[in-house]
Structures are given as structure tokens and as C-alpha cells.
Amino acid sequence: MAYTAFDRFVAWCRFRAARPYVRRHARVCDLGCGLGSHFLRWLGPRISLGVGLDVQVSGAEARAQRVVVSDITRGLPIRSGQFDHVVMLAVLEHLAEPEGVLQEAYRILAPGGSLIMTWPNAAVDPVLHVCRRLGIVSPEMESDKHERRVPPEELRAMLREILFEVAVHRTFECRLNNLLVAYKAG
């Protein structure tokens, strides 16, 4: 099943929130890029390199573009310091233990690079469950597999422990979603 129009609209809202934090001509790694790695494609010529990692993508899709079939919870098959930005758009809520993925994100960032994350508030889960049953939200969005949300202050503490500097945390879409940007010291 493909993404629905609602899935694409919600993704576009996340993309729009994250894009101002992506520098032109940057190297971007999208952890949990999803089918089609749409954020990287949306950025297009604005970036110099875009690589997506996701367990959902097929081998054929990976061969057609810069996508790696990978379970991001088991380490990243990328050398250290390779990217200017690591994005995790609607990924955090799928991680039972996010610290390992966040440590790997830090490892693959170049000095001065940033981690750009979005995630929905837990209050949207009941609505997503109904929308999924009605076919408004596709199974590929895995809204039925959301984990406990890490409270923002706990997440900021976790990121500081990893050595990130948290610069931005705000909500968007009527406070239903969060955006966080953290930097690796240069």
C-alpha cells in the first residue's frame, strides 16, 4: 500500500518545519527516511548529498537512489563525521530505546553539524489509530507502533549527555508536533 494523501500532507508539514535548518549544499543523512525517501528528494538540488536509511525500503529502491536498507537501531553502516545534518522526521516515537540511535547520529555528524528531529505528541495517537482503521493513514506510517514519548526535558538531557548542544525546541501544527535541533560542537 502506498502513502495516503493525509500521510503526504503530514510529511510535508514536517518537511516544511525541518527545511530552514538544512544548509544549502549540505550533506544530509535521513534516518528512518521511509518509502521513497521523500524528504531528500524534496530537498533536491539544495543539498550536495542525501543518503537515507530505513528498514522499510526495498533493495530495488535502494539501488535506484542513495538509500540504504538498514535497521537504524543496530548501528549505522556509515563512517564517522560524514554528514552536515542528520534528520529524524517522525522517527523518535518508533524507538523504544532512542539513546543508541542518537549516539550514532552524533558519531556520523561532522563537527558543527546538526541533528534535526520532529515527532508527534502522544495526544495524537488515539486519532491516528482511528484514522488508520479508516484507511486515512497508511500502514507504512506504523502509527500503531508508537513507543512511549520521551518528555522534551528528558530528551534534552539525553542529548546533552551525548554532547549535543540543544539549540531549538518548538511545537508546530497546533502543538501536535515537536521540532528539535541540536548541534555537535565544532
Side-chain angles (χ1 to χ4, degrees), residues 70-88:
S70 178
D71 179 350
I72 64 171
T73 64
R74 299 182 187 269
L76 304 179
I78 296 172
R79 288 180 301 157
S80 298
Q82 297 299 301
F83 291 94
D84 302 305
H85 303 289
V86 171
V87 296
M88 294 174 57

Side-chain angles (χ1 to χ4, degrees), residues 36-103:
S37 60
H38 295 288
F39 182 65
L40 294 173
R41 290 184 15 205
W42 187 66
L43 290 173
R46 176 185 174 93
I47 60 175
S48 66
L49 172 67
V51 176
L53 282 83
D54 201 301
V55 73
Q56 287 185 349
V57 296
S58 68
E61 183 180 10
R63 285 188 296 277
Q65 49 189 316
R66 290 187 174 134
V67 177
V68 178
V69 180
S70 178
D71 179 350
I72 64 171
T73 64
R74 299 182 187 269
L76 304 179
I78 296 172
R79 288 180 301 157
S80 298
Q82 297 299 301
F83 291 94
D84 302 305
H85 303 289
V86 171
V87 296
M88 294 174 57
L89 306 180
V91 173
L92 182 66
E93 69 275 16
H94 297 282
L95 302 174
E97 297 178 18
E99 191 166 3
V101 175
L102 297 173
Q103 288 170 339

